[in-house]
Amino acid sequence: RSGDDRISTKAVFAATPRARPATPPAKPVFSPRKRMRLYVVGDSLITDPGPEILSRATATGAITPTGPIDTHPATGLVQPQIFNWFEYLPGQVKSLRPDVTVATFGANDGLGFDAVPGASDFGSPAWQAEYRRRVGGTMDILTRRRGSRLIWLGLPIPRDPALAERWKLMNQIIEQEAKRRAPEVIYVDLYDRFKDASGNYSDFLPGPDGQDQ
């Protein structure tokens, strides 16, 4: 925590999300004169795609990154005592003022909650309710700035079949919460995208030319 010995386990959000207009606002038009501000943030799974996202975005000439990728490995939404995203992100949104955020969380969330009644077992009804609350709350934080959009990258299929089942459940919750907040939030499925023809994890998949890569 960069020398900060304060530990916070709070996962507190605004009592009610901001009011959403009945008619969605017009989509902004960005250009080299009016650039889109892009914020890329998440756990360790954003480390590899993050720089490529920033590179391609910058190449358009109409997008300005708010800074380097904001990644905190070995963190997530289940254990804020490791790193509290719920307290950290509001300050980032306020100071960076992103128009679009690309985010991913969940790689380290396949475990039970501490101090949440009935949620100590992964996947229990209480666990799902609490994870849903934290996912939805995080989405609301990242879209709190008027007119902003969030692109949430889902979890890719992992090598371990047991972990794959956990990530599948988490992706379902994330996708459902994103749909509740459309069009401000867009969910991008990576789980099915990275499966092989048998529906399993593979180190190599066919590229555009049909060759494994």
Side-chain angles (χ1 to χ4, degrees), residues 8 45-46 98-99 115 189:
S8 174
L45 285 185
I46 202 65
D99 297 300
D189 172 66

Side-chain angles (χ1 to χ4, degrees), residues 56-205:
R56 295 196 179 201
T58 303
T60 67
I63 301 175
T64 297
T66 59
I69 59 170
D70 189 359
T71 179
H72 296 264
T75 67
L77 307 183
V78 169
Q79 293 185 307
Q81 64 269 32
I82 304 298
F83 182 83
N84 196 316
W85 285 104
F86 317 116
E87 294 183 348
Y88 174 76
L89 288 173
Q92 292 295 91
V93 171
K94 183 177 180 179
S95 63
L96 299 177
R97 298 177 293 108
D99 297 300
V100 173
T101 297
V102 176
T104 186
F105 302 97
N108 306 294
D109 288 343
L111 61 158
F113 288 102
D114 294 329
V116 177
S120 59
D121 293 331
F122 176 89
S124 68
W127 187 97
Q128 293 187 46
E130 179 62 14
Y131 196 66
R132 183 179 302 279
R133 185 183 75 87
R134 297 190 186 198
V135 166
T138 302
M139 290 177 176
D140 291 338
I141 291 171
L142 291 172
T143 56
R144 188 161 294 160
R145 184 170 179 264
R146 182 172 177 79
S148 62
R149 296 289 189 270
L150 167 63
I151 300 171
W152 189 302
L153 306 181
L155 297 165
I157 185 170
R159 185 190 304 272
D160 179 8
L163 183 60
E165 288 303 309
R166 294 189 175 219
W167 284 13
K168 183 184 295 185
L169 172 61
M170 292 155 62
N171 277 336
Q172 290 173 356
I173 292 173
I174 295 166
E175 182 176 15
Q176 290 165 3
E177 291 303 300
K179 287 181 176 179
R180 289 184 58 207
R181 292 162 174 81
E184 286 90 348
V185 181
I186 299 171
Y187 171 78
V188 177
D189 172 66
L190 298 180
Y191 193 95
D192 289 338
R193 185 180 298 269
F194 289 107
K195 291 192 302 187
D196 63 14
S198 300
N200 300 312
Y201 170 89
S202 177
D203 286 327
F204 302 97
L205 293 171

